[in-house]
Amino acid sequence: MPRCGRPGRRAHAGALAERRVLPADPGGRRMRRVPATITPYPDGPLIARGDIELVDAGGAPIATRRRTVALCRCGLSTIKPFCDGTHKAAGFRTE
């Protein structure tokens, strides 16, 4: 699974990456915008980085806590829409 910002820590699939532009964060500092990118990892998840907003099929927002999130592509994750690493055991392969 891809690593997140801190060395030695793995990105948890349930901890999403979203950074909304707000007037100020709780500490009173201004938050900066980060362009959104989506990167497909070979035989693995889609990695979404930056300012993103995830919504479910009904349009309801899905809560996020981080700027980087791994999204399931194999369809076998138990924490959809996030990746839980199940693709490895299932032998999921991309073309």
Side-chain angles (χ1 to χ4, degrees):
M1 187 172 260
R3 300 215 175 251
C4 66
R6 289 186 231 154
R9 295 205 48 187
R10 290 181 175 255
H12 184 270
L16 287 180
E18 178 184 312
R19 182 89 180 232
R20 294 182 185 214
V21 177
L22 303 173
D25 69 10
R29 298 174 303 245
R30 304 282 290 169
M31 297 175 84
R32 68 182 176 93
R33 292 189 63 99
V34 177
T37 62
I38 298 176
T39 307
Y41 272 54
D43 304 330
L46 295 173
I47 303 300
R49 293 181 175 92
D51 289 324
I52 62 170
E53 180 177 344
L54 295 176
V55 295
D56 65 16
I62 298 172
T64 59
R65 297 181 194 140
R66 298 182 186 204
R67 284 190 190 185
T68 302
V69 59
L71 300 172
C72 177
R73 273 203 296 181
C74 72
L76 302 172
S77 174
T78 59
I79 56 172
K80 290 177 196 162
F82 314 113
C83 176
D84 66 0
T86 302
H87 61 274
K88 292 177 188 177
F92 175 74
R93 299 282 180 247
T94 56
E95 295 179 28

